Amino acid sequence: MILVFAEVIENEIQDLTYELVALAKQLGDYKVVVVGAELEGIDGDVIQIDGILHPYHYKIAERLFEKYNPEAVLFANAPFGMDLAPQLAGKLGIPLVTNVVKVENGDRFKATSLVYGGRVLVDLEVDKPAIFVVNRGYYEPVKGTPNVKNVVIKVEDGTELLRVIKPEEAGVDISKADVVVSVGRGAVDSLDLAEELAELLKGVIAGSRPVIDQGLLPKTRQVGRSGKTVTGKLYLALGISGATEHVEGVKAKNIIAVNIDRDAPIFRVANVGVIADVNELLPVLIEKVRKVTEKP
Ligand SMILES: Cc1cc2nc3c(=O)[nH]c(=O)nc-3n(C[C@H](O)[C@H](O)[C@H](O)COP(=O)(O)OP(=O)(O)OC[C@H]3O[C@@H](n4cnc5c(N)ncnc54)[C@H](O)[C@@H]3O)c2cc1C
């Protein structure tokens, strides 16, 4: 039996859950554990648990594991799943595979996982039981009708969820902007110039994850798998290498990339590639754009 943990954030089932259900269907009989959410669209047997589950309540997962003795437990590669899965695996002493894009059932599980930021795929054979943290976008979501069973589990582990701290709303939704000027690790020294260019082009500033992690731009400006997907007319990638997790969030019609490294992966997805030092190029580019935009 496969135990699937629905990804629930503030009482809402997250879409990735339906992809986990699709994978579970391929692996065998399954049950979906849902904590504190409406059961919208869950196909198959659902174990509904009332209350708010938060990562520290791995004890709930542990009890369900003991009760159902599953061959595999599936979590979403999303905030809740990413926190709970390693705790459960550590506690139970069973294998954990993260960044999973494929799982097949057999005497042992065969799984494919993304490593080195998505640059390399590895095939693994894993003993049963095992825990898999599954990435978005590899299984076609399955929706259906839930067959619900309520389970009451009480845990007293000395922790309590006090509040959920959401990222600040920055007032700008980069996913809806027509023009996005995006700064990578290679362009942090020219962040001010990039902001100036974005303003001239009537666009918005965004960045890759390292730039957000350094606190140079708010989280709401992050492009990529763990950020937002940009869908506008132009994406200008400045000093961005083009890691898979970044490129997943770039769905703009036109992509112009500036990088000093002619082999940078970003050039594989760019419509226009410029091999240049952004710090030298930006002042010149700003001047040119200013001349064009300020023409009477
Ligand atoms: C689970 C997971 C989720 C992730 N989610 C995201 C995400 O949502 N968004 C995201 O961006 N990343 C994400 N990442 C991180 C991702 O794998 C990369 O590490 C990240 O995108 C690299 O950012 P970068 O291109 O800015 O930096 P780097 O990879 O360090 O690239 C910097 C680039 O700048 C170039 N450069 C250096 N100096 C100059 C210069 N003077 N002029 C021009 N070019 C220059 C270099 O040649 C290089 O190509 C995630 C990773 C994981 C594991």
Side-chain angles (χ1 to χ4, degrees):
M1 201 273 283
I2 312 297
L3 206 53
V4 177
F5 273 80
E7 178 78 13
V8 174
I9 296 180
E10 290 198 293
N11 303 329
E12 268 183 36
I13 291 182
Q14 305 298 298
D15 286 349
L16 186 47
T17 305
Y18 306 111
E19 298 178 31
L20 296 183
V21 172
L23 168 59
K25 265 183 190 287
Q26 291 181 15
L27 296 178
D29 290 344
Y30 67 92
K31 292 187 194 302
V32 184
V33 181
V34 181
V35 187
E38 294 296 320
L39 299 173
E40 212 173 303
I42 297 282
D43 190 28
D45 286 354
V46 171
I47 305 163
Q48 188 175 28
I49 297 174
D50 290 330
I52 296 175
L53 181 66
H54 69 94
Y56 303 106
H57 280 169
Y58 73 87
K59 284 192 177 174
I60 293 183
E62 197 184 358
R63 296 235 187 112
L64 289 170
F65 188 91
E66 282 160 5
K67 185 172 161 72
Y68 292 103
N69 200 18
E71 285 182 289
V73 186
L74 307 184
F75 287 100
N77 194 0
F80 167 78
M82 276 195 287
D83 270 344
L84 191 51
Q87 294 187 64
L88 185 64
K91 186 73 190 161
L92 297 171
I94 63 173
L96 166 72
V97 189
T98 55
N99 286 311
V100 169
V101 300
K102 189 174 158 195
V103 186
E104 284 171 1
N105 205 346
D107 291 339
R108 305 168 89 197
F109 286 110
K110 283 187 180 168
T112 305
S113 166
L114 286 173
V115 296
Y116 296 123
R119 288 182 186 89
V120 177
L121 284 168
V122 288
D123 290 329
L124 303 153
E125 285 208 4
V126 190
D127 284 338
K128 294 178 178 182
I131 298 179
F132 299 100
V133 184
V134 182
N135 279 9
R136 182 185 299 280
Y138 293 91
Y139 288 89
E140 204 55 47
V142 166
K143 288 195 178 180
T145 317
N147 173 22
V148 184
K149 182 175 178 208
N150 274 295
V151 173
V152 177
I153 296 182
K154 286 204 173 141
V155 282
E156 284 172 20
D157 62 357
T159 60
E160 185 188 345
L161 181 68
L162 295 180
R163 67 192 169 114
V164 174
I165 302 170
K166 290 188 191 166
E168 277 172 41
E169 281 303 329
V172 171
D173 185 354
I174 59 165
S175 66
K176 298 202 175 105
D178 261 350
V179 176
V180 177
V181 176
S182 195
V183 173
R185 192 154 25 200
V188 286
D189 292 341
S190 292
L191 183 58
D192 289 350
L193 290 176
E195 281 180 319
E196 197 178 332
L197 180 63
E199 203 174 309
L200 275 175
L201 295 171
K202 298 195 172 29
V204 298
I205 190 86
S208 64
R209 189 160 103 172
V211 175
I212 294 356
D213 287 350
Q214 282 180 53
L216 298 172
L217 290 171
K219 174 78 184 156
T220 46
R221 302 290 179 124
Q222 183 176 323
V223 177
R225 180 185 300 167
S226 40
K228 291 200 168 172
T229 298
V230 295
T231 54
K233 289 183 186 146
L234 175 64
Y235 186 71
L236 185 54
L238 304 173
I240 293 177
S241 59
T244 326
E245 294 87 359
H246 182 83
V247 170
E248 275 179 25
V250 183
K251 302 279 184 256
K253 289 191 185 67
N254 297 292
I255 302 168
I256 302 177
V258 182
N259 202 301
I260 36 170
D261 175 9
R262 63 171 58 243
D263 296 321
I266 192 76
F267 289 137
R268 288 187 217 140
V269 294
N271 305 86
V272 176
V274 181
I275 301 162
D277 182 329
V278 277
N279 304 313
E280 289 171 13
L281 182 79
L282 273 178
V284 182
L285 191 59
I286 287 172
E287 197 155 316
K288 296 262 181 218
V289 173
R290 202 185 292 284
K291 275 191 186 145
V292 176
T293 52
E294 283 179 358
K295 258 187 188 162

